[in-house]
Amino acid sequence: MYRLRASQVARPVSRAIMEKYSRPLALVPSRLYATDPKADRAAAASPLARVSDSIKRDHEDIKENYFNIIYGQDYDTQVRWQNQFIWDLARHSIAEEIVVYPAFEKYIPDGEIMADRDRCEHMKVKEKLFELQNMTPAHDEFLPTLNSLWEDLSRHIKEEETEDLPQLEKHIDSEASNHLANSFSTTKHFVPTRSHPMAPDKPPYETAVGLLTTPMDKLMDMFKRFPKEASHSP
């Protein structure tokens, strides 16, 4: 536990938020900390790995990050999980746009409509994430912005898991799904780690901009505090 001055202690969470998201922090699974790139690659390389499983694991990690911010007991803890939330969500979103959404367009009938809808939903999330990454937990608008972002994101996650991903798995075989899982995992190591809503959201332009932006984001990561520092070194 980190010792802080009284002025640094985060504001208490409102009763409405506590009732809506009541969940003991002690139940957060230990795998939440498994952000090591080698662990990511090992999971993706499994013969049984499907791209939908890889995406759902990310969704669970991002969800746990959110709850760890909400239930953070002090300012430093909330800052660390805010940085983790931004880091995971930014990488996940861009990797989906580079790897997964083009697969929707390639394999699913009318997949272009699905992919464009998801890109629009991503844009809303990116804009709010951009606001959040420029705040601290002490900011008056921090929790409202975080909860508004999560409302949009959780709706998007539900659509992906119940509609989009089952459709993709239906139209590809296990080998293609595993190949996408590997590509998705690998891509996350080369994309920006912060939100850049003005950047293109389709390859090849998104890929090119990402390669230019990523080094600066990773440099900034070196000066941030995370729940597990070694996982975020460039």
Side-chain angles (χ1 to χ4, degrees):
M1 184 65 67
Y2 300 90
R3 189 178 301 277
L4 301 173
R5 297 191 299 272
S7 61
Q8 291 179 296
V9 177
R11 300 187 309 281
V13 180
S14 70
R15 180 178 295 275
I17 293 175
M18 292 293 287
E19 290 176 352
K20 184 175 182 181
Y21 301 107
S22 57
R23 180 176 181 177
L25 189 59
L27 295 181
V28 173
S30 60
R31 74 166 182 82
L32 174 62
Y33 294 87
T35 54
D36 182 76
K38 293 181 180 179
D40 286 347
R41 284 194 291 270
S46 167
L48 300 178
R50 301 183 305 166
V51 65
S52 57
D53 296 330
S54 298
I55 292 172
K56 288 177 182 178
R57 279 197 299 269
D58 274 11
H59 289 167
E60 285 300 311
D61 287 344
I62 293 166
K63 180 179 180 180
E64 297 295 350
N65 294 345
Y66 166 76
F67 281 113
N68 275 308
I69 300 171
I70 292 294
Y71 285 96
Q73 297 299 305
D74 53 55
Y75 179 86
D76 184 76
T77 299
Q78 287 190 311
V79 166
R80 288 174 184 272
W81 285 108
Q82 175 192 5
N83 290 336
Q84 182 76 46
F85 180 81
I86 294 166
W87 193 80
D88 281 333
L89 181 53
R91 295 164 73 240
H92 172 86
S93 299
I94 298 173
E96 280 192 329
E97 292 167 2
I98 292 175
V99 175
V100 181
Y101 295 169
F104 290 172
E105 296 169 336
K106 180 178 180 179
Y107 295 110
I108 302 174
D110 297 324
E112 295 88 350
I113 297 174
M114 180 185 294
D116 286 342
R117 182 200 67 195
D118 286 342
R119 290 187 182 100
C120 288
E121 292 174 356
H122 267 198
M123 182 55 64
K124 293 179 182 178
V125 170
K126 286 180 180 179
E127 289 171 349
K128 292 180 181 180
L129 186 62
F130 181 79
E131 294 179 19
L132 187 76
Q133 70 193 22
N134 291 303
M135 298 179 185
T136 70
H139 197 284
D140 289 341
E141 293 301 313
F142 179 81
L143 283 178
T145 301
L146 175 63
N147 287 320
S148 177
L149 187 161
W150 180 251
E151 183 177 352
D152 290 341
L153 180 59
S154 60
R155 184 166 52 246
H156 171 73
I157 286 173
K158 182 178 180 180
E159 288 178 354
E160 276 195 341
E161 293 189 356
T162 61
E163 300 175 19
D164 303 355
L165 294 174
Q167 281 293 312
L168 178 61
E169 297 288 3
K170 178 181 176 181
H171 288 90
I172 59 177
D173 59 24
S174 58
E175 183 177 355
S177 184
N178 181 249
H179 175 73
L180 286 172
N182 284 325
S183 296
F184 177 73
S185 179
T186 300
T187 299
K188 286 194 295 180
H189 302 302
F190 299 97
V191 296
T193 59
R194 289 169 61 84
S195 178
H196 302 279
M198 298 303 293
D201 60 1
K202 293 183 180 181
Y205 301 108
E206 182 172 29
T207 308
V209 172
L211 290 173
L212 295 174
T213 308
T214 299
M216 183 60 68
D217 283 358
K218 288 184 176 291
L219 179 63
M220 294 176 68
D221 289 341
M222 294 176 64
F223 300 96
K224 291 188 176 71
R225 303 189 302 277
F226 290 91
K228 188 176 180 181
E229 301 286 3
S231 298
H232 304 84
S233 57

